[in-house]
Amino acid sequence: MAAEDKKSHLMLIDGKFVAGEAGTRSVINPANGKAFVDVPEASPDQARQAIEAARRAQKAWGLKSPLARAAIMKRIAVLIRQNARHLAEVVVREQGKPINEAIGEVGGAAEFFDYYAEFARRIQGEILPSDYAGEQVWIQRVPIGVVAAIIPWNYPSALVSRKVAPAMIAGDTIVLKPHEDTPLSALEMARIFVEAGVPAGVVNILTGRGETIGEVLCTEPGVDLITMTGSVPTGKRIMANASSNLTPVSLELGGKAPFIVLADADLDLAVRSAATSRYMNCGQVCICNERTLVHRSIYDQFVARFVEFSKSLVVGDPMQANTDIGPKVSREELEKVEAVLAEAVAGGATLALAGGRPTRAPIDGGYWLNPTVLTDVTPDMPIMTREIFGPVVPIMPFDTFEEAVSITNASRYGLSAYLFTNDLGRVMNAVNEVSFGEIYVNRIGPEMLQGFHVGFRESGLGGDDGVHGLESYMRKKTVYVNYSGAATAALMPYGR
């Protein structure tokens, strides 16, 4: 590694870059399995300090005009784009996605700030008629206050923006904790926030373990909203901890996206889309194609084409532009996917494409896994019910649309679903019958900024993006304004 990769990275608390009181932690490059930089480990006291700093800063930040807040956000977007290549390379080194995907992620990180800055003139209240003359009822949208944000490792740059941008335009302050495996992107963003002129305490970035720092963020009474993207077990623990203070939570959790291909679908488009949706970011996306359901009349053709397409993909050095699939993020995640795969084969699934670890690794020591395709799977197999989060694709046939919908909905998850068909009637049936928060028809993700990224059942509650995502970062205040001069008692309808 170059010398600059060994530089110290510091946390941001109350506008100052600080070391961790709990020591340091090494960051591992998943392409070679080697540590390449150390980052701070915050102490619980530092987490509380960050919450207190955010509390102190919130009043002044919330009183700024939305246009003033938006001006700083626009500067953040400019600085992200000016540093895009460097930020993308940081993503690759700590997380492992191919450089082209990382460049796209960083572009998305900038877009979140541009998009939410546009709400400077769009946060609306309401004026309602009163029951009495000389009076109005106002409903205002006001900042919720201090936000605690916890993000996972699969999009370490974009998810910082997804949480920070709506908080900033709403007038909130925020304490954000990235995943301990991928903290560098958030620390790099902290430098950008300071350079852009974000006031001290408005954005605080902590690094450390979820069991310690995350626990503090979810139990301190000084937090007004907890927003988290991550696993179902972690989400449930956060919700339980938040209940002690009745702190509102917004949780975007796991997914088990069905990819339904009907007999009349454009087969080439469906194959390319199903593969792209499965293999992007090495299958480590909550909206990835996790189980492919294909009408029996085209099943054999689909599987054959899908396997050939999978074989054509390049698994390699994520810093190279021609790489399609990089490594898994960690050894633990690699072994987790391998265990799910082994269980499926032991349960009767057939390897249509064996995949597995490459016989010759693109880079020694990395966490590599080739595309793997399974057939002869049944809906009740664990590989069809549990989130895989890797480049492994189970494909099963179905005979009727109703059967496909039944298999789709028989899941504890309910985030994203895909449907490929040219039959508008079937599209409308799916819209009505598929019980998932997002449905993609004849296209795949990613989701759009102006949409609403929301899951049903154990895929979470609350949601991100768009005007509906912004609502989580505000609370409503009702004001009864009497300007008639009449005595208040005279207006009381119940004689109190």
Side-chain angles (χ1 to χ4, degrees):
M1 291 291 170
E4 62 266 26
D5 291 334
K6 293 289 186 181
K7 69 185 178 185
S8 173
H9 290 76
L10 299 175
M11 304 181 297
L12 178 64
I13 301 177
D14 201 13
K16 302 180 182 66
F17 291 103
V18 299
E21 294 176 349
T24 61
R25 177 187 180 91
S26 295
V27 180
I28 307 298
N29 184 337
N32 58 26
K34 296 179 181 178
F36 66 98
V37 71
D38 292 334
V39 296
E41 289 270 285
S43 69
D45 281 345
Q46 285 181 305
R48 295 185 186 95
Q49 291 166 20
I51 293 169
E52 291 166 3
R55 176 63 62 194
R56 288 193 301 270
Q58 195 280 316
K59 183 176 180 180
W61 179 248
L63 288 174
K64 281 184 178 290
S65 73
L67 280 176
R69 298 196 293 263
I72 296 174
M73 294 170 65
K74 290 177 181 178
R75 288 200 292 273
I76 293 172
V78 168
L79 288 170
I80 291 173
R81 291 189 175 99
Q82 288 177 352
N83 293 275
R85 182 71 192 191
H86 169 68
L87 293 172
E89 289 177 353
V90 170
V91 170
V92 175
R93 283 198 294 271
E94 69 175 344
Q95 196 269 334
K97 63 167 52 77
I99 185 65
N100 290 335
E101 290 187 26
I103 290 170
E105 177 181 344
V106 171
E111 287 178 358
F112 275 111
F113 283 97
D114 278 338
Y115 174 74
Y116 277 110
E118 295 173 359
F119 279 85
R121 292 188 174 97
R122 297 178 186 170
I123 297 175
Q124 298 179 348
E126 301 168 42
I127 299 177
L128 302 175
S130 172
D131 293 351
Y132 305 98
E135 187 172 288
Q136 290 183 344
V137 182
W138 302 344
I139 298 178
Q140 299 179 334
R141 285 178 171 83
V142 299
I144 200 165
V146 174
V147 177
I150 299 172
I151 63 172
W153 45 259
N154 57 339
Y155 284 90
S157 181
L159 288 174
V160 173
S161 298
R162 191 179 223 172
K163 305 298 186 183
V164 173
M168 287 184 67
I169 197 60
D172 301 325
T173 53
I174 187 167
V175 181
L176 182 139
K177 191 196 89 66
H179 193 277
E180 49 265 38
D181 287 347
T182 55
L184 297 179
S185 292
L187 296 178
E188 291 286 346
M189 291 285 278
R191 297 174 183 274
I192 285 176
F193 296 147
V194 171
E195 186 177 348
V198 175
V202 171
V203 180
N204 306 271
I205 307 291
L206 295 173
T207 49
R209 297 187 64 81
E211 304 93 283
T212 53
I213 306 310
E215 200 83 2
V216 173
L217 295 182
C218 297
T219 54
E220 281 293 303
V223 172
D224 300 300
L225 169 69
I226 302 166
T227 176
M228 174 267 193
T229 301
S231 70
V232 172
T234 302
K236 289 181 177 181
R237 183 172 179 178
I238 286 172
M239 196 168 181
N241 287 336
S243 68
S244 63
N245 297 309
L246 293 181
T247 306
V249 296
S250 177
L251 305 173
E252 194 268 278
L253 307 177
K256 189 66 180 174
F259 195 102
I260 304 170
V261 184
L262 299 187
D264 69 317
D266 180 327
L267 197 55
D268 287 336
L269 175 64
V271 167
R272 292 195 308 272
S273 299
T276 302
S277 180
R278 174 69 278 182
Y279 298 132
M280 71 171 88
N281 196 16
C282 199
Q284 301 168 133
V285 189
C286 59
I287 66 169
C288 264
N289 164 24
E290 281 268 336
R291 46 192 174 130
T292 306
L293 310 175
V294 182
H295 193 273
R296 194 176 300 276
S297 65
I298 58 170
Y299 178 78
D300 291 340
Q301 294 179 65
F302 183 95
V303 170
R305 295 190 195 186
F306 190 93
V307 167
E308 287 306 307
F309 189 93
S310 301
K311 288 178 179 178
S312 73
L313 298 175
V314 176
V315 177
D317 182 351
M319 282 294 186
Q320 298 300 314
N322 68 331
T323 293
D324 297 306
I325 302 175
K328 286 284 294 175
V329 70
S330 66
R331 182 176 301 280
E332 178 186 7
E333 286 295 321
L334 171 64
E335 292 174 350
K336 190 184 299 183
V337 174
E338 287 180 318
V340 172
L341 176 59
E343 182 182 30
V345 173
T350 298
L351 288 166
L353 179 61
R357 297 196 192 193
T359 53
R360 184 172 181 177
I363 301 174
D364 289 341
Y367 310 127
W368 306 100
L369 193 63
N370 285 329
T372 304
V373 180
L374 294 170
T375 56
D376 296 319
V377 294
T378 58
D380 57 342
M381 283 184 172
I383 201 157
M384 290 289 286
T385 60
R386 299 178 193 163
E387 191 171 31
I388 303 169
F389 233 56
V392 176
V393 191
I395 308 178
M396 71 164 289
F398 64 87
D399 293 300
T400 67
F401 175 77
E402 291 73 21
E403 179 189 1
V405 171
S406 177
I407 294 169
T408 290
N409 289 336
S411 173
R412 65 191 181 109
Y413 298 104
L415 186 55
S416 300
Y418 301 89
L419 175 66
F420 278 70
T421 180
N422 291 309
D423 185 333
L424 182 58
R426 290 300 193 198
V427 171
M428 296 310 298
N429 288 340
V431 169
N432 291 329
E433 297 173 23
V434 172
S435 184
F436 278 64
E438 294 178 339
I439 301 175
Y440 295 84
V441 180
N442 295 325
R443 59 154 290 182
I444 57 173
E447 56 274 18
M448 292 186 177
L449 291 167
Q450 67 270 34
F452 185 43
H453 187 52
V454 60
F456 296 173
R457 297 182 293 281
E458 289 196 9
S459 287
L461 68 163
D464 291 306
D465 306 340
V467 63
H468 299 291
L470 182 59
E471 286 286 335
S472 297
Y473 293 83
M474 297 182 288
R475 64 172 95 238
K476 296 179 181 69
K477 178 187 288 187
T478 303
V479 184
Y480 295 89
V481 181
N482 180 275
Y483 55 88
S484 70
T488 303
L491 301 178
M492 289 292 185
Y494 307 119
R496 291 176 294 180

